[in-house]
Structure formats: C-alpha cells, structure tokens
Amino acid sequence: RTMSEAELSQDPLDAIADQFRAGVEIKDRKYRFSTYRTCFVGKDAVSFMVQDGLASSREEAVQLGQSIMTELNLFEHVERDHEFKDDFLFYRFIEGRGDASINQATGKKFSWGDYLAPTSASETNLKLQPVMPLPDLDNVPLGEIHVAGRVWPLDEHNITLLNHVHPTAWTDPQPKNKYDLVVIGAGAAGLVTSSGAAGVGARVALIEANLLGGDCLNSGCVPSKSLIHAAQLAHMCNNSESLAESGISINGKVEINFPKIMERVRRIRAEISHHDSASRFTKELGVEVFMGRAKFLDKTSVVVNGTVLRFNKAVIATGGYPSLIPMPGLKELNGLNMYPGQNLRPYVMTNETFFNMTEQPKKLVVIGPGVIGLEMAQAMQRLGTDTVVLGRSGRILPKEDLDHSTIIQSQLEKDGITFKLSVKEYVSIELTGKVLDNDLPEISFKIREEVGGEKVITEILVDAVLVASGRRPNVTGMDLEAAGVEYDSRVGIKVNDKLQSTNSKIFSAGDCCSTFKFTHAADFMARTVIRNALFFGKDKMSNLLIPYATFTDPEIASVGLYGKDLDKNGIKYRTFEKHFTENDRSICDSDTTGMVRIRVEDKSDKILGATIIGKGAGNMISEITLAMQSNTGLGSLAAVIHPYPTNAEAIRQSGDLFNRTKLTPAVKSILRGLVKVQR
C-alpha cells in the first residue's frame, strides 16, 4: 500500500511496527485451562505481514517480527518463553508498565538533557577549565529535584545514567488487579527480587523513589572500583623503586588529569546502567515500574503517587543511607554539597556525592577507617591528594584479624596516608573563608585526640571531607506501623530466618534488614525471598555462606568464621597458613605481601572460615567458598591441580600443610616399611 507522508518521515522500522500493530487481530484466547487476555497469534501475524506486503515470504516475516519484538520491544510472548515464531503461540503488546512521557516541545520522550541550564562565556579572565553542565532547577519537576541534587555534573554520561535509572516525567502504569508481589526499593535486592519473580510468571510492581540500581551502581561498587582502577595505574607508574628493580624507568613526571579520571568513572557507570534501567525492567523483564515513594495503607496495600496497589506478598528492599557523625557544622556543610550550582560548593561528602567531584582536592579528611573509607583514602592518596584517616577505636578494619589489618595500614602509610585513630571528639567543622587555587573552599576541621596520654585539640586544614563512618537502614517514612511491620531505626526491618517480617505477607532483603551490607548478599537474600514468598519455601538466611572483600592494595577477603568467632563459641579449631613469600608467582611479580589463612575443625579437615590477604584476594576467596559450600575439606583441596605459577596455588599448598599433619610417626614407619619391601 502507499504510505502517508507522516509514515515516510518515521524510522522505517517504527512505521512498519505501526502497520503491524494495526493489522494483527487482538482478542482474548484460551489454551488448555488458561485464558490469555488481549493477545495475537504468531502464525496469524506472519500471514498478515506477507499478505500486506511487509514481507515477501513467511521466513522473512519471522525475521521482521523478531526485529520488531527485540529492537522496539513492541510485544512479547505471553509467558516470555519464546522468540517470535510462525507457530500457534500467543503474543501481547507491551504497554501499561510505565514509561517516560512525551515532551511536546521536542516530540520525543523527556530526557534529563531537557533541563540543562543555559551557559554563557565568562566575562572575566579566561580559565582553562570547561564549564560543567548543571540542571536548571527552576525547570526540573518539583518531585525530581532530589534526584538532580544527587547526580552532577549533568554531562552526557550522567544524562544517560539518569535517563536509565530515573527517567524524568515518568508515567506510572495503571494497576488492574492485585499484584502477586510488590517490591519497594530498586537496589540490588529489589531488582533481583522483581526480575526473578516476573521471570517465573508473577505479576510484579517495583517502586523506587530515587535511582534504580541503588547504592552499588550509583555511589558504591561501580564508581569506586572505576576510581580504584585509575589509582592503581597511577601507583604503578609512580612506584619507581618497583619499576627500577624490574629494569624499567620513566623519564618525566606522571601527570594526573583528575577531571578526566572522574569523567571515566561517570562513563563506566552510565555504560553499566542499562542493566538496571526502567526501560529494561518494563520492556524486557515484564515488571511494572512506579517512580515515587511508597507508603503502606494496611497489611495488604501500599499507595504511591496517589495510586493504591494491592498485593498478595510484598518485599521491602529499601537499602540504607550514610549516617553523619554528631559534629557542629557537619550537617550544614554536607547540605550545601547536596545540590549543584555555580556558587562555591564545599566538598563535604558521603559516598552519595563523592563521585560528583570534578576538581581534585589538595587535602582530604576521611572519617571512618572501615571498608569505604580505606578504599577511597588509598585511591585519592595515590592520585595525589594528601589524605588523613580518622577513627576512634585505635585500629582499622576492626572485623579483620589484627595482624591482617596491620598489614593493610602499613601499606597505606607507605602510600603516604596519615592515621589518627584515637579521636576522642569531633569538635567542629567550618569554612575559613579562603578559596584555594583549585577553586575549592578551605575547611577548618578540628578534633580532640589523645597524644602522649594527653587530650589535645588538633586543627586540620583541608578542602575535602568524606564521611564514611557507617550506614543506617532506610525504614522510616513508609508507615510500616499500618502494615504491622516492626522495625528499629538502627537495626532495620525485624525479620525471621526466612526473611519474613512480623507481617507474614511482607518480606525484606538487603541492607534494610541485614548486617551483611554487600551487593552479593542482597542478591542471594532476594533469591531466598522469591522461594519463600512465592513457592512456600523454607530457605534460611542463616544458611547463606557470604564471602566479602575489601579492595585496598593489598586486598583482603574472608568467608565463614574468624578465630575470635570460634573462640567465643567454644569451638576448637586449627589454623593453616601459606604466605605469599613462599609462592613462586608472587615472587615473580615482586609482590609477596600477604597470606592464605584457613581455619578447620580440630578433629577433621572441615573448613570453618578463611581469610586471604594479598594481590587478587577477592577473586581467590571464591575457591574456598565453593569448598565450604560443597563440604569439601581442606585435605581434598590439596588434590586440586592448579595452573603453575599462580597465586591461588597457596590454597592448594595449605591443603598440603593439613595433609602433612596426618603423617604421624606410626604412619611414616608403615610407609617406610612399604618402600623397603619393594627394594
């Protein structure tokens, strides 16, 4: 047929899709004992495309239909089990799961790029710095200003990120029936729960007030590891002693382009963000996405943006947020850093705003000698920012064995980091009124510490502060009382071992209910919730074996119980260690710091816990985790052939150490006798 001017102006595939939608027969259809609403038949659609001239053959029609299905996400199989086929299979058009509204001025879906503030040339002296794009907050919808305040600059990478994880002018779907599952929170736990449940046929609503992807994508794992990568490269180039030992020298200074480093962090985050995007969850995974804040009305319903959602089961996966220490001036200065603008903005940050930096600080104070604080402290020090780490307990990484945390601290001190770990009081923080030559305001940071047995007030002049002193669960503002869900503002949602709250229809997963605040822990808690909530499962949180790692250099990774845990529970055990000073690959790499430490039952080779400290520890811990999960003993690991030379051989060699303990004098005597017999 002849196409109209409007159709000719469209993308060819879009025009064909419109013709396809208008031509197929939509109606309710039955198969066996099920009724499928408003769907069409694949075989009938193929016949239509051939008859209407959209395809010259049935094979070509299948290829065209597959393109419309996958590239435009126009329709899907009713059970999401099949590609488009020339068969008696039912398909339905994808609609009503939420989508960005159309901007009438552009004729396209709203984008965060529509809110860019106008820029003008500076009237003063030319600066060799690019103008960082910022949102025009006067035009940003009122309900989305909190999103614009968390992510900047609004460059192409952050526009891509926001269009994926919080599309502006989002239109919520219209709920028709009761949901099998309503998930509140779209971090790691919420995303896995909603996609997994939808994948097995459940009707799922996902509610998120801020950014899909949660802490891990937006302000945790992804940006932090991207920054650490740059810091490792800088350290490698600047480590002249190590280079010289290998016969390599670099003439000239290693230049650090901090704005470029941070741009790469934003680019990597944007590239990964499609996996957590609203469009992927609605169009590819079959989840209905609501952008807004959820509040419970009663034990079986929530309201979001004025719309009531009824559910059979619900999951609270709202994650956590960084807590600020009580310190005069800290909350106010952190608040000034929360929203972008052309005025001077002090770098007083938590992890939620740390990766918005565009200028490199000269001196950074990190409050908190835990995982986040140490990872970012070492990265910034290696990139050239003078860094001080503060704490109260007298040591770093308090959950790790003392000798291991001492190894980490020694390396960080070698990098140039200063530690003050006997802080008695955080006295005050305020701006001095001075602006440094990097355009950052100078900050006076005062502490009371114990020095030589006396308490003294120390002032540290810095231009950046990172508060990494702990996190709290997001459990307020949801009217949990109306749902009969008990919680504690410090501990989180109260759950049993099946991750079930005090309301048997409501479960919880992730940081808002667990002390294991890791993305991979949230992932497997979500899988537990799906089985227990939808399939009468009896899986237990206590059965999850959760490894974890701190990505300093050297790395440290652990799984199972520490020695202090075993001592506390009166469990007798033995410890086997293999140091990397005895590992051939470590010697070849001139990186022999660290060891493998494995704890086993006193009377057997059952592994109770392990810690690896050294290069690649985060990757190596998985082998021991698998052994523990499959009940493989340490002695059996000695029989696992490892490629030579690798760092992981130290795990096998730890098994050798265990097996040697079985060579008692009596056993040795028997073996010597067997050898003699054969002479």
Side-chain angles (χ1 to χ4, degrees), residues 78-314:
V78 291
E79 299 289 353
R80 297 192 293 280
D81 288 337
H82 297 282
E83 296 180 341
F84 182 69
K85 296 181 180 180
D86 185 5
D87 203 345
F88 192 73
L89 296 172
F90 298 159
Y91 300 86
R92 65 164 59 99
F93 289 105
I94 297 174
E95 52 193 4
R97 292 177 185 161
D99 203 352
S101 301
I102 300 297
N103 184 339
Q104 298 302 319
T106 64
K108 299 179 181 179
K109 291 180 181 179
F110 270 101
S111 163
W112 279 91
D114 297 340
Y115 304 133
L116 280 176
T119 58
S120 59
S122 173
E123 297 178 359
T124 58
N125 296 332
L126 177 67
K127 291 186 176 181
L128 298 178
Q129 298 173 350
V131 175
M132 286 297 173
L134 298 169
D136 183 356
L137 294 182
D138 291 336
N139 290 321
V140 174
L142 185 61
E144 295 177 348
I145 288 179
H146 68 290
V147 175
R150 287 186 58 178
V151 179
W152 71 82
L154 208 56
D155 61 0
E156 60 176 312
H157 308 305
N158 277 342
I159 287 174
T160 297
L161 172 73
L162 290 176
N163 285 342
H164 281 158
V165 301
H166 193 106
T168 184
W170 181 261
T171 300
D172 287 337
Q174 290 297 319
K176 300 180 181 66
N177 301 301
K178 181 183 287 189
Y179 289 97
D180 297 310
L181 194 68
V182 166
V183 181
I184 303 173
L191 293 178
V192 173
T193 302
S194 58
S195 61
V200 295
R203 186 161 182 259
V204 181
L206 175 64
I207 305 171
E208 174 56 55
N210 293 302
L211 306 178
L212 279 81
D215 188 67
C216 181
L217 170 67
N218 298 291
S219 57
C221 315
V222 171
S224 67
K225 302 312 167 283
S226 301
L227 186 65
I228 288 171
H229 169 75
Q232 287 174 337
L233 293 178
H235 176 68
M236 188 183 303
C237 294
N238 281 317
N239 192 353
S240 57
E241 181 179 337
S242 176
L243 291 173
E245 191 267 339
S246 299
I248 299 171
S249 61
I250 296 177
N251 293 322
K253 183 181 178 182
V254 176
E255 298 289 343
I256 302 296
N257 186 336
F258 191 76
K260 186 70 175 178
I261 289 171
M262 297 308 293
E263 181 189 8
R264 179 184 176 274
V265 169
R266 298 193 297 273
R267 175 172 59 79
I268 295 297
R269 182 172 61 181
E271 287 178 5
I272 293 174
S273 66
H274 171 71
H275 187 267
D276 295 347
S277 66
S279 61
R280 177 172 179 263
F281 271 72
T282 56
K283 295 177 180 178
E284 298 179 28
L285 302 178
V287 176
E288 297 184 26
V289 175
F290 293 78
M291 291 291 182
R293 188 169 298 280
K295 291 191 176 186
F296 285 93
L297 293 177
D298 52 43
K299 293 186 176 183
T300 57
S301 64
V302 298
V303 60
V304 55
N305 300 329
T307 300
V308 176
L309 312 184
R310 295 181 298 117
F311 58 80
N312 287 323
K313 300 288 175 62

Side-chain angles (χ1 to χ4, degrees), residues 237-482:
C237 294
N238 281 317
N239 192 353
S240 57
E241 181 179 337
S242 176
L243 291 173
E245 191 267 339
S246 299
I248 299 171
S249 61
I250 296 177
N251 293 322
K253 183 181 178 182
V254 176
E255 298 289 343
I256 302 296
N257 186 336
F258 191 76
K260 186 70 175 178
I261 289 171
M262 297 308 293
E263 181 189 8
R264 179 184 176 274
V265 169
R266 298 193 297 273
R267 175 172 59 79
I268 295 297
R269 182 172 61 181
E271 287 178 5
I272 293 174
S273 66
H274 171 71
H275 187 267
D276 295 347
S277 66
S279 61
R280 177 172 179 263
F281 271 72
T282 56
K283 295 177 180 178
E284 298 179 28
L285 302 178
V287 176
E288 297 184 26
V289 175
F290 293 78
M291 291 291 182
R293 188 169 298 280
K295 291 191 176 186
F296 285 93
L297 293 177
D298 52 43
K299 293 186 176 183
T300 57
S301 64
V302 298
V303 60
V304 55
N305 300 329
T307 300
V308 176
L309 312 184
R310 295 181 298 117
F311 58 80
N312 287 323
K313 300 288 175 62
V315 179
I316 301 170
T318 47
Y321 65 94
S323 58
L324 298 177
I325 61 171
M327 181 181 193
L330 182 62
K331 183 177 180 180
E332 292 76 14
L333 289 182
N334 178 66
L336 291 177
N337 193 48
M338 284 299 293
Y339 291 94
Q342 298 296 353
N343 295 327
L344 289 175
R345 184 171 61 244
Y347 277 176
V348 179
M349 307 163 288
T350 66
N351 70 295
E352 291 186 344
T353 52
F354 186 78
F355 302 102
N356 294 335
M357 287 192 295
T358 54
E359 299 298 330
Q360 181 166 16
K362 293 179 179 295
K363 188 161 186 174
L364 167 70
V365 157
V366 176
I367 306 173
V371 174
I372 296 173
L374 294 183
E375 287 183 356
M376 293 302 94
Q378 186 178 43
M380 293 300 292
Q381 181 71 40
R382 288 183 166 185
L383 291 172
T385 295
D386 187 19
T387 303
V388 181
V389 175
L390 306 178
R392 292 177 179 270
S393 65
R395 58 168 294 187
I396 67 170
L397 298 175
K399 74 175 183 293
E400 304 295 348
D401 290 342
L402 181 59
D403 60 332
H404 286 169
S405 62
T406 300
I407 291 172
I408 301 290
Q409 184 172 339
S410 296
Q411 177 58 56
L412 269 60
E413 288 175 337
K414 184 177 179 181
D415 288 338
I417 293 175
T418 300
F419 286 91
K420 293 180 177 292
L421 301 176
S422 298
V423 177
K424 300 302 179 183
E425 180 187 358
Y426 293 97
V427 177
S428 66
I429 178 173
E430 60 185 354
L431 300 179
T432 66
K434 180 180 178 181
V435 178
L436 305 181
D437 58 12
N438 58 0
D439 287 337
L440 294 179
E442 186 180 59
I443 301 166
S444 169
F445 194 100
K446 294 180 181 179
I447 59 173
R448 180 175 281 108
E449 59 179 329
E450 190 169 314
V451 179
E454 295 185 7
K455 294 180 180 178
V456 298
I457 292 181
T458 302
E459 180 184 36
I460 310 171
L461 295 177
V462 301
D463 54 349
V465 176
L466 171 62
V467 183
S469 53
R471 297 180 63 81
R472 287 178 177 266
N474 271 324
V475 291
T476 58
M478 290 183 285
D479 291 344
L480 291 172
E481 296 82 359

Side-chain angles (χ1 to χ4, degrees), residues 491-519:
V491 178
I493 305 293
K494 295 183 179 180
V495 294
N496 60 21
D497 207 14
K498 295 194 295 182
L499 296 176
Q500 195 172 35
S501 76
T502 49
N503 178 339
S504 62
K505 293 182 178 295
I506 299 176
F507 293 73
S508 187
D511 290 8
C512 63
C513 70
S514 172
T515 57
F516 290 92
K517 301 186 186 302
F518 312 110
T519 297

